[in-house]
Amino acid sequence: SQQGEEDPQALSIQEGENATMNCSYKTSINNLQWYRQNSGRGLVHLILIRSNEREKHSGRLRVTLDTSKKSSSLLITASRAADTASYFCAPAPSFSGGYNKLIFGAGTRLAVHP
Amino acid sequence: GAGVSQSPRYKVAKRGQDVALRCDPISGHVSLFWYQQALGQGPEFLTYFQNEAQLDKSGLPSDRFFAERPEGSVSTLKIQRTQQEDSAVYLCASSSTDRGDGYTFGSGTRLTVV
């Protein structure tokens, strides 16, 4: 499968703790994107990391990319109850004809308890 | 518009009925994608438009599925002779770049076939 595969499938933490989600994929990529989905809603783009980048930050989010291991991680620091959602990684395979044909995994369901 | 708009928000169809799902992307966005999301799963790619050209329809599950974007803006996903396995959330996403960096998703249309 070309899709990103997230690990763990579910994560339950307390407010204030950090949450780390991992992603593995199988093909060479142009970039890898992370999305969040609240229950019953569309996906929200969080961050894009290109294949020549190793780390990227956005607010409380930190994404790393290791192309040699074909893996990425998303760290959410100082989590809040509002961070409760499903998180998806979506690698954009480099063979997909010049556009980002994102291939989503099943996601990590994060629950942050007050 | 400010975001990607999809209509209807919910659709209940009797098995065998034809349905049409509409997507209004962000004005000026070049790339438009359709995804299908089954309950508890990640979105699965259906098709990709660059302006009015349908460059990739490899994800359409059968010839009952048809998508168009005749003027390079609004897109319609049509499903003929709906089956129960078509029940899912259909997500539309658009991007300002022809590569599709950082999709903006709509809230989706939840289709239930009874």
Side-chain angles (χ1 to χ4, degrees):
Chain A
S1 170
Q2 304 159 13
Q3 68 185 31
E5 296 181 3
E6 294 88 350
D7 172 63
Q9 292 184 339
L11 182 60
S12 182
I13 60 174
Q14 297 295 126
E15 260 190 333
E17 294 181 340
N18 295 341
T20 299
M21 287 159 270
N22 302 298
C23 169
S24 60
Y25 58 92
K26 296 186 178 179
T27 65
S28 61
I29 59 171
N30 287 330
N31 60 69
L32 185 143
Q33 304 183 29
W34 284 89
Y35 288 80
R36 183 187 75 223
Q37 185 177 38
N38 291 87
S39 180
R41 307 295 295 273
L43 285 81
V44 173
H45 178 254
L46 296 177
I47 200 163
L48 180 154
I49 186 165
R50 300 194 186 282
S51 59
N52 61 352
E53 297 177 311
R54 291 296 168 258
E55 188 171 309
K56 205 160 184 179
H57 297 255
S58 176
R60 294 184 295 113
L61 306 180
R62 172 179 169 246
V63 167
T64 62
L65 179 65
D66 186 333
T67 53
S68 66
K69 295 181 180 178
K70 291 187 168 58
S71 66
S72 176
S73 68
L74 170 67
L75 169 68
I76 304 174
T77 60
S79 63
R80 306 165 182 169
D83 295 329
T84 295
S86 291
Y87 291 82
F88 296 91
C89 80
S94 57
F95 57 81
S96 59
Y99 65 93
N100 291 327
K101 181 177 179 176
L102 297 184
I103 309 296
F104 291 85
T108 293
R109 294 182 300 281
L110 173 66
V112 182
H113 302 284
Chain B
V4 177
S5 177
Q6 292 188 247
S7 61
R9 185 80 174 88
Y10 302 94
K11 176 68 178 179
V12 178
K14 291 185 178 179
R15 192 167 51 186
Q17 186 178 354
D18 296 350
V19 298
L21 312 179
R22 178 187 169 103
C23 173
D24 281 88
I26 293 174
S27 179
H29 273 199
V30 171
S31 296
L32 186 145
F33 303 81
W34 283 97
Y35 281 80
Q36 179 191 60
Q37 187 175 25
L39 189 63
Q41 300 298 313
E44 293 204 4
F45 173 84
L46 293 177
T47 188
Y48 165 64
F49 288 89
Q50 189 177 102
N51 296 307
E52 69 279 3
Q54 189 176 22
L55 298 187
D56 189 338
K57 55 182 181 180
S58 62
L60 297 176
S62 76
D63 58 8
R64 296 186 296 104
F65 286 71
F66 173 76
E68 60 183 4
R69 193 187 185 198
E71 297 179 358
S73 54
V74 171
S75 178
T76 303
L77 176 67
K78 298 179 179 177
I79 309 173
Q80 297 178 322
R81 304 181 303 281
T82 52
Q83 303 294 317
Q84 283 193 318
E85 61 263 27
D86 300 335
S87 295
V89 175
Y90 290 84
L91 295 165
C92 176
S94 70
S95 171
S96 60
T97 70
D98 56 5
R99 289 193 312 278
D101 290 342
Y103 300 5
T104 300
F105 277 86
S107 296
T109 294
R110 183 177 296 277
L111 173 65
T112 303
V113 181
V114 297

